[in-house]
Amino acid sequence: MTHATPANGWRTFLIVWVTQSVSMIGSTLTFFALTIWLTQRLYPLPEQKAELGFALSAVGLAFGLPTVFLAPIAGAFVDRYDRRRTMLVADLFQALIALVITVLVATDSLTLWILVLLIALVSASGAFHSAAFDTSYVMLVPAAKLSRANGMMQTSWSFAGIVAPMLAAAMITLPGLAREGYFGTLAPLLGRMSDGTALVTGVDAFTFALAALVLAFVHIPSPERADLAPTAGMPKKSLWADVKEGAAFILRRPALLWLLASFTMANFALAAMNVLMPMVVKFNLEGSRAALDLSVDQAMGQLGSIAGVGGLVGGVLISAWGGLKSRRVLGVLVPMLLTAGSLAVYGFSPAFYLTAGAAFLIQLTMPITNAHSQTIWQTKTPREMQGRVFSVRRLIAWVSNPLATTLAGLLGGYLNPGAVIGTLGTVFAAFTFAQLFNRSLIRVEEEPPATAATAAIQ
């Protein structure tokens, strides 16, 4: 089936992109603030290193498990129902959860297990939002601009990575400044808070509400599916049948499976890095931080912002360039190899700014890798199947995240956290280098793109 993008599709994409980007900043603010809350308030003592590792793993699993294992259901769902409405409801639900976290933090009622439950709910909602959003902008953006749009999406995450850590760190200090007499009439209100974590999560709630409000006034078409109409003597096609169809599409294409294997390895290593980052800053870089007179939250803020600058540079680069027009798989593997090497340096480095430089390179290469990969998938998958296929793809690529999150927290609590990351980076680099000689993967773009009809009969 041929799909024509709306005449104002690019403008609609830009409007949605801006508001969803603001929401990304709010979510990144919350993630950073809650990480500091766990590190500095709930488990502040050096002898609580094992408890902190467990807590970071628990929160990581609460976010990762629903996202991964609900992905196929979410993908099949958005192939059947209105994608704009799905995003709108998900944004409203996540605004409500962020508001609940705000109240609990402000009243000192938040515990680890309540936080784990709330994060799991956010993750479950996010699975549907991601499935809808990832398959919506391909309905708005002309094919010639897809790589640019993908680059812009990567830029949004990178910009959030720059703004959020420093902004969150600054907001967390506001109650302390209020107790010192700053902020005039607002000082008594702010001063009653232990820290500014509740301010951060409140901003997150507002950004979700703003994104939902904008979605209420824009039009995003959803593809029509002829295969859902019941036929004589045959029951209506089930949601589970859609899930199996998405899996079959990928499993019949070895080149796409190898592409997924590369991202599964990458996600395993990067998930471990994300879990262990606070412990690396707190323990591995303790001497370097002391020499620079940086507290844990200041060091985390600087590290996050420097990494975010790298991501922004990479995102702007791929957005302006538009990426490779052929042999895009090299636009995946070469930057991925640089990511892996930088990850090894990140883990083994004893110096704060060397670690920050490695984080800069990791984030710089990721938008280029992701944009090329997304374009390959978008051009190889029929639009009316992208929800199912992309969500099964997400399940396969991210299934390693819960395992990495669990192992990283446990190993980091009892071993050297930096050495764990550095070893993973080395293995990741060796695996990626080997893929440059994988003939099946290198030829992924030589297969003609499928249609819904040909995909169904294969």
Side-chain angles (χ1 to χ4, degrees), residues 51-63 275 402 404-410:
E51 290 93 330
L52 175 60
F54 173 80
L56 292 170
S57 287
V59 170
L61 286 172
F63 182 79
V275 170
T405 300
T406 302
L407 291 177
L410 294 175

Side-chain angles (χ1 to χ4, degrees), residues 32 165-166 294 297-307 352-353 356:
F32 185 84
M166 289 298 187
L294 291 173
D297 55 337
Q298 288 172 332
M300 286 176 61
Q302 285 197 23
L303 187 64
S305 291
I306 290 170
F352 176 77
Y353 283 116

Side-chain angles (χ1 to χ4, degrees), residues 24 30-31 95 159 165 170 228 243 253 270 309 349 360 396 406 410 412 458:
M24 289 178 194
T30 290
F31 177 81
F159 183 71
L228 289 181
V243 174
R253 291 164 174 79
L270 293 172
V309 170
S349 166
F360 177 92
I396 298 172
T406 302
L410 294 175
Q458 284 180 333

Side-chain angles (χ1 to χ4, degrees), residues 109-192:
S109 302
L110 186 63
T111 66
L112 174 62
W113 294 113
I114 292 175
L115 177 61
V116 166
L117 174 61
L118 293 174
I119 292 295
L121 292 173
V122 167
S123 175
S125 175
F128 286 85
H129 185 282
S130 296
F133 190 39
D134 287 351
T135 54
S136 286
Y137 63 89
V138 73
M139 302 298 298
L140 299 169
V141 177
K145 293 185 177 180
L146 269 180
S147 292
R148 180 163 285 110
N150 290 324
M152 290 168 67
M153 294 305 306
Q154 296 299 314
T155 303
S156 297
W157 284 113
S158 302
F159 183 71
I162 297 173
V163 173
M166 289 298 187
L167 183 57
M171 293 175 70
I172 286 171
T173 65
L174 292 182
L177 293 174
R179 287 189 287 271
E180 294 176 8
Y182 293 94
F183 306 119
T185 57
L186 293 177
L189 178 63
L190 290 173
R192 284 198 290 268

